[in-house]
Amino acid sequence: MIEFAALFLGIKLRPWQKWLLIHALELLEDGRYRFRKVVIIVGRQNGKTKLIEVLALWWLFVDSDSFPEHLSADEFLVLGTAQDKDTAKKVWKRVLRRCNPNVEKWPGRFSPAERAAIVPALVSEAMPPSESNGSEAIVLKNGAQYQIAASTSGGGRGDSISRAVLDELREQKNWDGWAALSKTLNGTFNSQMWAISSAGDAKSVVLKDIRDAAIAALDEWQRYVDQGIASVEEFANTHDVSIGLFEWSAPEDCRLDDPDAYLQSNPSIGYGYEVDTLLSDLASGEPEHVTRTEVLGIWVTASVTPYLDVEAWPLLADGPDVSYDGQIISTGSEIAPKSPVVLGVDTSSDRKRTWIGVAGWRVDGLQHLEVIDVLTRMTRVPDRVKAIADEWGIEFVAVQARGCNASELAEPLRKLGLQVIEVSGPALGAGTGKMLDRVADRRMRHRGQEALDQAVKHAVAKKLNDVKVWDREASPVDIAPLVAVSNAAYGLEAMPEVEASAYEDHGLLVA
């Protein structure tokens, strides 16, 4: 790839870019990529965009023909994504200017700079591009394509993706974009995904979680492999070693005026700018947190402390157990057949998703909490809740009555004949506090659902008078899944028509 950049594109890559490519593109013995996912963290203005441009061109014009017996070129799709489509399109346009046949066909329509960027050898392999908004595509004569999409849209338009770039991973505030993109890569032979970014903050939950997991894996490697307890092969057989993390960052406790810190986090210093350039930004009054994250690669996350016990939560998971061939060995936690059941509803602060949760008693007297549905349009929520209630024989639904988006659902739910348990006033603090107690006292079980797990991991609470209540705005992820099951659990304990004797009549142990 380094040779391709020099000979065809006239680009002499910087030492850090060459080093990264040599290691990120390492191959296994059979020629497949060692890493299926590559995560890169480096300070701004170090040449990330140029690197992505070269990478996309090389994938498209060279790598698309690397394994014709497993993946034909006409099935090879490169997808460029970012938090919004305009950001993804910037790199796509840089790639297009290298291979656009229209430049040679109608040179008068293009600037001297655009004409100078053209690579005739690449143009000869390309078809006229599709540049209309919503269907942008660079297509080669062998059928390989490069498309773009916003990561929030759920990935590419094809059935599967061969190569993908997710730019500015720090901007991903939830797992939707990453999950959709990574799943489309799973069914493709020798696929690879690159995510590149500067360091993040408390809201950069995807980048933070991936980085934390990678560092934990490195610690495991040091304990077992570096100390000779296990061989490389033994370790690889029992651990996921398909993710590569490449990070340039300064020590967390470094001084903001320490030149060595800038050298560690900005590998392009000496290739177009010097340390004093970055120090001058600091002198101009740039906020410290901006310098630390975007220039020095240091994470600023101390302001967010999860409300629930995140170490206890995984211990309370009781999900289904499935054998390697898909047979259900155990269904996991479930509500007892005759238990009272309450639904809970909550909507994200941006109104994009409404989550439906459920709470009921298990046969051992512990609460079972579960997310059972999510809807993207609030107008459909009342009918969906009613349909679930009718199917399950549920009468009660708990929802916050004021001060949030979900409060507008209370009256439509009543009109559909459901008994609405309003979580408002003192109940807000009680519902939040009881959730804290249930987890701490191990008085509940859940099914290990990703949306709920992520909400628990990052949910924060704020003080309201003398109690704590859920804080949707300050939480770095959508905590509506957690609020929905929290409301349901509160409603289960607050149901006026159900007395303790009813639980005994149903053969349940009272928790």
Side-chain angles (χ1 to χ4, degrees):
M1 182 171 165
I2 296 166
E3 197 173 335
F4 170 82
L7 295 179
F8 286 88
L9 308 179
I11 296 174
K12 184 179 180 180
L13 294 169
R14 296 169 181 174
W16 81 270
Q17 295 169 326
K18 294 180 181 180
W19 185 93
L20 172 64
L21 293 174
I22 288 169
H23 293 285
L25 298 176
E26 284 181 14
L27 303 179
L28 301 174
E29 289 184 357
D30 61 3
R32 291 179 297 121
Y33 287 125
R34 172 186 174 186
F35 299 117
R36 290 179 60 85
K37 298 179 179 69
V38 177
V39 179
I40 301 136
I41 302 174
V42 66
R44 294 182 62 187
Q45 303 303 315
N46 276 282
K48 295 194 296 288
T49 302
K50 178 71 71 176
L51 180 67
I52 297 173
E53 175 191 350
V54 174
L55 180 70
L57 282 161
W58 184 77
W59 274 342
L60 195 61
F61 285 91
V62 180
D63 208 24
S64 59
D65 281 321
S66 58
F67 284 96
E69 69 276 18
H70 294 289
L71 183 70
S72 61
D74 60 2
E75 296 178 304
F76 193 95
L77 172 61
V78 178
L79 184 72
T81 69
Q83 70 274 17
D84 58 73
K85 196 170 182 179
D86 287 341
T87 301
K89 196 169 185 176
K90 290 177 182 178
V91 178
W92 184 86
K93 285 184 174 181
R94 292 174 69 103
V95 172
L96 177 61
R97 69 176 185 163
R98 299 286 189 172
C99 62
N100 190 350
N102 291 335
V103 175
E104 291 189 343
K105 190 174 182 180
W106 299 296
R109 298 182 182 180
F110 298 88
S111 68
E114 288 174 314
R115 294 197 298 270
I118 280 294
V119 179
L122 303 186
V123 170
S124 66
E125 300 296 328
M127 301 285 287
S130 171
E131 298 186 69
S132 58
N133 190 35
S135 60
E136 298 90 342
I138 298 170
V139 184
L140 303 193
K141 291 178 180 177
N142 67 5
Q145 294 191 41
Y146 175 21
Q147 300 178 1
I148 56 173
S151 57
T152 53
S153 68
R157 294 179 286 274
D159 293 332
S160 59
I161 298 170
S162 307
R163 307 285 184 268
V165 172
L166 204 168
D167 197 7
E168 288 301 338
L169 185 59
R170 59 169 285 155
E171 299 298 331
Q172 302 297 313
K173 309 304 184 186
N174 59 58
W175 282 86
D176 294 351
W178 174 277
L181 190 57
S182 62
K183 296 299 184 293
T184 58
L185 287 155
N186 287 344
T188 306
F189 176 80
N190 196 33
S191 62
Q192 192 176 61
M193 172 181 176
W194 281 48
I196 191 163
S197 182
S198 53
D201 54 25
K203 293 183 179 295
S204 306
V205 294
V206 179
L207 182 56
K208 181 181 184 302
D209 286 353
I210 291 172
R211 180 178 182 269
D212 288 348
I215 292 173
L218 289 171
D219 291 339
E220 284 281 291
W221 176 280
Q222 187 172 23
R223 280 198 297 271
Y224 288 96
V225 179
D226 289 355
Q227 297 180 16
I229 298 174
S231 68
V232 172
E233 290 77 13
E234 290 170 332
F235 187 88
N237 287 335
T238 55
H239 295 76
D240 181 11
V241 292
S242 65
I243 297 180
L245 171 67
F246 300 86
E247 176 178 327
W248 284 260
S249 59
E252 292 184 5
D253 58 352
C254 71
R255 302 192 323 272
L256 290 184
D257 60 351
D258 181 0
D260 285 340
Y262 291 87
L263 290 169
Q264 287 178 276
S265 55
N266 295 273
S268 284
I269 287 177
Y271 294 85
Y273 64 96
E274 301 297 335
V275 172
D276 56 8
T277 305
L278 300 177
L279 290 175
S280 66
D281 290 338
L282 182 65
S284 67
E286 182 177 82
E288 178 177 335
H289 71 88
V290 173
T291 302
R292 288 192 174 275
T293 56
E294 299 194 19
V295 181
L296 294 174
I298 299 171
W299 287 72
V300 181
T301 57
S303 60
V304 173
T305 301
Y307 179 66
L308 300 180
D309 186 341
V310 296
E311 293 184 0
W313 180 259
L315 303 178
L316 306 178
D318 183 12
D321 187 9
V322 182
S323 66
Y324 70 93
D325 58 352
Q327 300 299 313
I328 297 177
I329 300 173
S330 170
T331 57
S333 181
E334 55 188 0
I335 298 171
K338 295 183 179 181
S339 168
V341 179
V342 175
L343 295 174
V345 179
D346 194 62
T347 302
S348 59
S349 57
D350 61 7
R351 300 178 66 91
K352 290 183 177 179
R353 287 176 176 79
T354 298
W355 299 81
I356 303 173
V358 67
W361 298 104
R362 294 162 34 120
V363 293
D364 57 6
L366 300 176
Q367 279 192 357
H368 169 95
L369 303 183
E370 183 179 352
V371 172
I372 58 175
D373 207 354
V374 56
L375 293 92
T376 56
R377 292 178 61 182
M378 288 188 68
T379 54
R380 296 178 177 175
V381 174
D383 288 339
R384 178 58 180 153
V385 173
K386 174 62 174 173
I388 294 173
D390 290 345
E391 181 183 352
W392 289 29
I394 299 172
E395 299 178 46
F396 296 91
V397 56
V399 61
Q400 186 173 332
R402 59 183 67 89
C404 70
N405 290 324
S407 62
E408 63 193 68
L409 298 170
E411 190 58 32
L413 290 170
R414 284 195 186 92
K415 290 181 178 179
L416 291 174
L418 293 168
Q419 299 288 323
V420 175
I421 300 173
E422 294 190 359
V423 184
S424 60
L428 275 177
T432 307
K434 284 177 178 291
M435 193 68 192
L436 179 72
D437 296 339
R438 289 184 201 99
V439 176
D441 298 339
R442 315 297 200 263
R443 290 190 290 106
M444 54 75 64
R445 295 291 184 269
H446 59 92
R447 294 176 66 83
Q449 298 167 297
E450 183 175 343
L452 186 55
D453 290 346
Q454 288 298 319
V456 168
K457 190 174 182 179
H458 300 285
V460 298
K462 61 184 177 182
K463 194 166 185 179
L464 184 64
N465 298 323
D466 292 329
V467 297
K468 290 284 190 71
V469 300
W470 299 118
D471 191 343
R472 297 175 184 81
E473 291 295 334
S475 299
V477 302
D478 178 13
I479 65 168
L482 172 60
V483 180
V485 299
S486 176
N487 289 343
Y490 173 81
L492 183 67
E493 297 179 2
M495 291 170 63
E497 281 78 6
V498 180
E499 299 182 3
S501 59
Y503 300 121
E504 296 168 2
D505 292 342
H506 293 152
L508 304 172
L509 302 174
V510 180

